[in-house]
Amino acid sequence: MKNKITLTVALSLVCLLQVVKAQKNNDSLALRTFGFGVNVQNFNPGNLYIYDAEYPTYTENYLFTFNIENVFRIEPEIGISTINDTSGIYYNPGVSQKITVINYGLTLAYMFQKGNVNFTPGIHLQTSSFTDTQKDPTNIQNPTSTITISMFGVGPELGAEYYFSKHFSFGAEISLIYTSITQKSSESSFSDSITTFNTSTGLYVRFFF
């Protein structure tokens, strides 16, 4: 944890220094059209097992960036994770478990530049599908049970990225997301729904072609 905090602070300071330097540059920044990116801040493989059933988002998303001139950005994202625990060591001995998480997202952003910095205020949409299937051979009446969780979130987002070259940028984003989460179980007709309203941050590396 200390190493992640130190890395985050160091990257933030580098980004801040580069932003200050870029403000002195009056040249127009020409953006490439297509890019690929990833969030480098929050990835932790341990979260795949240590999960809260109400927040099924523990998989890393990959970004596909499309810049229209220097004015508008369309950025879909996707993340997929599957865990197949046939031995039951993480849940219950003798009970196998399969967890599948699929995340989709879309950011629509207006863009403007100052020096080597590209600012991206916009809106972010996200959805997740979480399925937890457990098989217990000792349960004669119901040997297989499934929990399904669906999530949809939307909210404003503000981002800024520094271009070290026309092919590489490093940036940070903050968003305010309203999220609706619904949980259903095969063992019951009852469904549980909750809503959340929270901030979200990320540090992103993007490569452009």
Side-chain angles (χ1 to χ4, degrees), residues 54-94:
E54 293 182 343
Y55 299 92
T57 56
Y58 295 119
T59 182
E60 195 64 19
N61 288 0
Y62 296 94
L63 314 174
F64 301 89
T65 307
F66 301 89
N67 294 327
I68 301 176
E69 299 297 335
N70 276 34
V71 180
F72 191 70
R73 170 172 290 179
I74 302 173
E75 191 168 59
E77 59 185 81
I78 185 172
I80 300 174
S81 176
T82 299
I83 300 171
N84 193 6
D85 179 20
T86 57
S87 61
I89 59 175
Y90 285 95
Y91 178 71
N92 193 20

